[in-house]
């Protein structure tokens, strides 16, 4: 995906009349030579009003408050905020959140698609079912199978928490259910899905879904004109960053370059960002070594080229992307029967060079475990569109200060200001406090800062207006899709756990 160079925000601040941008190459295009094209954007004659900016930013925001006690257990999750802002048309990011009804815990995920949105859409609808099934005990799996076999109502597995604008694909429902049923039938033969532990269940769910995506692409043609044809799903790709929260147990399953970061409140009132996932890209030396170790030494110079897998793909782990997984023979035999998707000439061009020992790409996630502590206040899951704009410490600082109501601006010491400039800056900060922005949703608050903050951490209206009013054909050049989910933990429940007891069901608490 295209990346906006860090200097862009400074450019906007320094040159109001016109801005010249240097663009980086995309996530899944060759990078032997980084293109350096200059684009000149016209200034807007008028800024967006506060109401207009709020309307754009809040269009896809969603908040959910968790009941502290549901009759079976207390929840360590107080609630969550989520939002997404598109730059691609159509948007390639997706998000999901759900409560596991038959097993325990809650699931949250952000998904970053590439080469289209089909794979990300399929994963966001299917992955949580695979995870939930993987965590079910044998008796529950048998009850579900017997209900399906005898055409009785099936026990619900998930309670979804969705925004009305979230995409839904109903056309492939039967195919998806059939594959899921085959999976739980196999788990029944193995004695239940909860026999191996949460970490193994998460890994198995990721790998099994990717395997099913691959098999469906080989066997099911579907409507050739549908954007969700199984082969289209498999030819596109998606990263995934998923959190499973069960009481005090937090598991992060990451695949690609979206990230999970924990917001920790220190004893002195400051905030610390604790990284909960690793990027699977060329920027991670361990990941590069892993990829190289799986192929002959003769390919050492071609497996990773120009910081991309085979010189093409930026994430080193992803769902779909059969171009980097199937053998040449399998790709040819399948694609030759689907000329409406790819002609013979296009197929030849699509094959990566130096493609000798597939698969080069895996859908096995990296699992991180963390036991929640009283000082752990929130978890941020976000696609790389956010992390390109903000450092993880800044992300946690912005949310933490927002939740606690404290504004700790960047110190002004060491900077040169006249008395008049200092007065203007302080006046601007004061005005920001009553600017009219709606700050209820922390994900929205974070996106607003990612796009509009100046070097002092203050949202500059003119900068935010420009970023939100970019034409569709230009927005992708300046930034990526941004998807954010902020999970708020219940500090009283977590503290009660460490005190050896639980709070009453009617106990009231706040986010911090």
């Amino acid at each position: 995906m295209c990346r906006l160079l860090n200097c862009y925000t400074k450019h906007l601040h320094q040159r109001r009349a016109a801005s010249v941008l240097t663009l980086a190459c995309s996530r899944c295009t060759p990078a032997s030579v980084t293109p350096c094209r200059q684009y000149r954007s016209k200034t807007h004659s008028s800024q967006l009003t506060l109401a207009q900016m709020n309307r754009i930013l809040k269009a896809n925001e969603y908040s959910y408050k968790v009941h502290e006690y549901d009759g079976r257990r207390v929840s360590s999750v107080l609630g969550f905020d989520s939002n997404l802002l598109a730059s691609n048309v159509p948007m390639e990011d997706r998000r999901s959140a759900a409560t596991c009804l038959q097993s325990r815990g809650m699931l949250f995920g952000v998904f970053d698609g590439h080469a289209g949105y089909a794979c990300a859409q399929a994963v966001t609808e299917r992955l949580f079912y695979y995870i939930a099934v993987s965590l079910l005990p044998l008796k529950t799996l048998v009850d579900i199978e017997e209900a399906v076999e005898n055409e009785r109502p099936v026990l619900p597995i998930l309670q979804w928490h969705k925004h009305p604008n979230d995409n839904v694909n109903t056309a492939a429902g039967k195919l998806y259910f059939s594959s899921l049923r085959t999976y739980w039938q196999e788990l029944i033969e193995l004695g239940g899905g909860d026999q191996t532990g949460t970490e193994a269940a998460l890994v198995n769910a990721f790998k099994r879904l990717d395997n099913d995506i691959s098999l469906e692409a080989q066997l099911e043609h579907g409507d050739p004109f549908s954007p969700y044809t199984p082969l289209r799903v498999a030819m596109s790709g998606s990263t995934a960053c998923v959190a499973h929260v069960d009481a005090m147990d937090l598991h992060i399953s990451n695949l690609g370059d979206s990230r999970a970061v924990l917001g920790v409140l220190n004893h002195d009132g400051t905030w610390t960002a604790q990284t909960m996932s690793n990027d699977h890209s060329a920027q991670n030396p361990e990941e590069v070594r892993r990829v190289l170790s799986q192929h002959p030494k003769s390919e050492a110079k071609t497996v990773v080229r120009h910081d991309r897998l085979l010189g093409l793909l930026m994430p080193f782990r992803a769902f779909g992307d059969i171009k980097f997984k199937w053998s040449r023979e399998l790709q040819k035999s399948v694609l030759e029967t689907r000329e409406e998707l790819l002609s013979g000439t296009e197929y030849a061009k699509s094959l990566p060079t130096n493609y000798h020992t597939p698969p080069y790409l895996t859908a096995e996630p990296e699992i991180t475990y963390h036991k929640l502590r009283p000082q752990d206040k929130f978890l941020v899951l976000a696609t790389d569109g956010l992390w390109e704009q903000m450092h993880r410490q800044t992300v946690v600082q912005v949310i933490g200060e927002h939740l606690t109501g404290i504004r700790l601006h960047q110190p002004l010491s060491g900077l040169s200001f006249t008395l008049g400039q200092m007065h203007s800056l302080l006046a601007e900060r004061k005005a920001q406090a009553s600017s009219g922005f709606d700050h209820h949703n922390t994900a929205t608050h974070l996106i607003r800062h990612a796009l509009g903050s100046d070097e002092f951490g203050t949202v500059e209206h003119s900068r935010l207006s420009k970023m939100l009013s970019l034409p569709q054909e230009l927005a992708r050049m300046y930034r990526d899709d941004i998807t954010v989910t902020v999970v708020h933990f219940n500090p009283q429940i977590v503290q009660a756990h460490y005190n050896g007891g639980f709070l009453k069901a009617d106990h009231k608490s706040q986010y911090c």
Side-chain angles (χ1 to χ4, degrees):
M1 294 183 177
C2 297
R3 295 180 180 270
L4 170 64
L5 294 184
N6 292 333
C7 64
Y8 173 54
T9 54
K10 182 182 293 184
H11 225 59
L12 279 178
H13 186 66
Q14 295 174 343
R15 303 187 67 175
R16 301 300 178 86
S19 60
V20 179
L21 307 176
T22 302
L23 304 182
C25 52
S26 72
R27 168 176 296 197
C28 49
T29 56
S32 55
V33 178
T34 301
C36 293
R37 302 178 182 176
Q38 291 186 332
Y39 295 84
R40 190 170 300 274
S41 60
K42 298 180 180 179
T43 56
H44 297 277
S45 57
S46 61
Q47 294 185 17
L48 296 175
T49 65
L50 288 173
Q52 290 172 324
M53 287 189 281
N54 273 329
R55 190 178 308 115
I56 294 171
L57 289 168
K58 291 168 63 64
N60 296 303
E61 73 174 9
Y62 181 85
S63 295
Y64 181 79
K65 179 69 171 12
V66 175
H67 296 293
E68 291 184 8
Y69 187 72
D70 62 2
R72 296 178 297 169
R73 62 188 183 275
V74 291
S75 174
S76 59
V77 175
L78 184 60
F80 73 91
D81 297 321
S82 182
N83 203 348
L84 50 82
L85 184 68
S87 67
N88 289 291
V89 181
M91 188 176 190
E92 294 180 335
D93 275 12
R94 295 293 188 270
R95 61 181 173 183
S96 285
T99 299
C100 299
L101 296 177
Q102 303 304 324
S103 61
R104 298 178 60 184
M106 294 188 71
L107 289 164
F108 308 91
V110 293
F111 310 92
D112 189 349
H114 48 267
Y117 57 86
C119 187
Q121 179 64 37
V123 172
T124 194
E125 292 183 344
R126 305 178 68 181
L127 179 59
F128 285 9
Y129 280 113
Y130 279 71
I131 293 174
V133 164
S134 298
L135 294 169
L136 290 178
L138 176 61
K139 183 180 185 307
T140 304
L141 290 172
V142 171
D143 289 344
I144 292 175
E145 172 60 22
E146 289 181 350
V148 173
E149 182 68 25
N150 295 297
E151 298 184 350
R152 298 197 309 267
V154 179
L155 292 171
I157 298 175
L158 295 173
Q159 176 189 353
W160 290 96
H161 310 298
K162 288 183 176 291
H163 188 281
N165 291 347
D166 287 347
N167 299 80
V168 177
N169 170 30
T170 58
K174 291 183 178 179
L175 174 63
Y176 292 171
F177 179 80
S178 176
S179 295
L180 181 65
R181 184 183 182 187
T182 300
Y183 180 42
W184 79 54
Q185 288 172 338
E186 293 179 10
L187 289 176
I188 290 174
E189 294 178 0
L190 295 173
D194 64 340
Q195 300 299 307
T196 56
T198 301
E199 182 172 335
L202 291 168
V203 172
N204 291 339
F206 271 67
K207 294 171 66 175
R208 179 54 182 252
L209 173 57
D210 191 62
N211 182 71
D212 284 352
I213 289 173
S214 176
L215 288 176
E216 291 161 4
Q218 299 172 50
L219 302 175
E220 297 286 341
H221 285 186
D223 180 0
F225 302 104
S226 169
Y228 302 112
T229 295
L231 188 54
R232 293 186 191 273
V233 171
M235 290 176 67
S236 60
S238 178
T239 68
C241 189
V242 172
H244 178 259
V245 187
D246 179 9
M248 301 301 115
D249 296 324
L250 169 63
H251 287 86
I252 303 295
S253 307
N254 189 48
L255 197 72
D257 52 9
S258 295
R259 295 179 189 170
V261 173
L262 196 64
V264 181
L265 180 61
N266 302 313
H267 293 298
D268 60 0
T270 59
W271 291 91
T272 298
Q274 182 172 335
T275 301
M276 298 297 296
S277 63
N278 297 309
D279 288 1
H280 301 134
S281 68
Q283 308 309 312
N284 181 349
E286 288 295 325
E287 187 68 4
V288 173
R289 282 192 284 271
R290 179 193 67 80
V291 172
L292 293 177
S293 69
Q294 296 177 351
H295 300 278
K297 291 184 178 179
S298 59
E299 295 185 64
K301 294 183 178 180
T302 59
V303 173
V304 178
R305 295 175 57 246
H306 309 295
D307 290 342
R308 286 165 172 75
L309 195 65
L310 296 178
L312 296 173
L313 190 66
M314 289 185 69
F316 287 3
R317 304 191 195 195
F319 285 104
D321 285 316
I322 55 174
K323 181 192 294 187
F324 300 90
K325 296 175 180 176
W326 287 2
S327 67
R328 283 177 173 268
E329 294 73 23
L330 180 57
Q331 292 189 50
K332 184 177 180 180
S333 64
V334 172
L335 293 175
E336 279 183 344
T337 65
R338 305 301 305 275
E339 293 185 358
E340 75 279 4
L341 292 179
L342 206 64
S343 68
T345 302
E346 290 174 329
Y347 165 72
K349 292 179 179 179
S350 74
L351 286 175
T353 55
N354 301 302
Y355 195 79
H356 305 298
T357 56
Y360 291 90
L361 189 66
T362 180
E364 180 171 345
E366 184 175 12
I367 309 296
T368 303
Y369 171 76
H370 177 79
K371 185 174 182 179
L372 292 178
R373 307 160 300 180
Q375 62 266 37
D376 300 329
K377 300 303 181 182
F378 57 86
L379 176 73
V380 181
L381 301 173
T383 55
D384 66 341
L386 176 73
W387 308 113
E388 290 170 0
Q389 304 290 337
M390 300 180 75
H391 188 273
R392 61 182 179 275
Q393 181 61 38
T394 305
V395 166
V396 168
Q397 191 81 16
V398 166
I399 296 178
E401 293 172 3
H402 174 63
L403 294 177
T404 57
I406 299 174
R407 292 289 298 170
L408 299 177
H409 292 281
Q410 178 177 330
L412 303 182
S413 59
L415 301 176
S416 178
F417 290 99
T418 65
L419 184 60
Q421 289 172 331
M422 180 71 76
H423 176 77
S424 297
L425 178 60
L426 294 176
E428 182 180 0
R429 289 183 172 181
K430 182 178 180 180
Q432 173 65 24
S434 58
S435 64
F437 282 129
D438 188 336
H439 294 299
H440 294 301
N441 185 292
T442 51
T444 305
H445 181 71
L446 195 55
I447 294 175
R448 180 180 289 114
H449 274 262
L451 300 183
S453 286
D454 60 17
E455 56 267 39
F456 304 109
T458 300
V459 175
E460 184 179 295
H461 293 183
S462 61
R463 182 176 306 198
L464 181 59
S465 175
K466 287 181 180 180
M467 292 297 285
L468 292 178
S469 59
L470 289 168
Q472 290 183 352
E473 64 273 14
L474 293 180
R476 188 60 187 87
M477 300 176 183
Y478 297 162
R479 62 174 179 81
D480 199 354
D481 296 335
I482 299 176
T483 300
V484 180
T485 294
V486 182
V487 182
H488 302 277
F489 300 118
N490 193 322
Q492 282 79 15
I493 296 299
V494 177
Q495 184 64 62
H497 170 82
Y498 283 89
N499 292 342
F502 292 98
L503 300 182
K504 294 181 179 180
D506 60 352
H507 182 84
K508 303 300 180 181
S509 59
Q510 299 299 320
Y511 277 172
C512 281

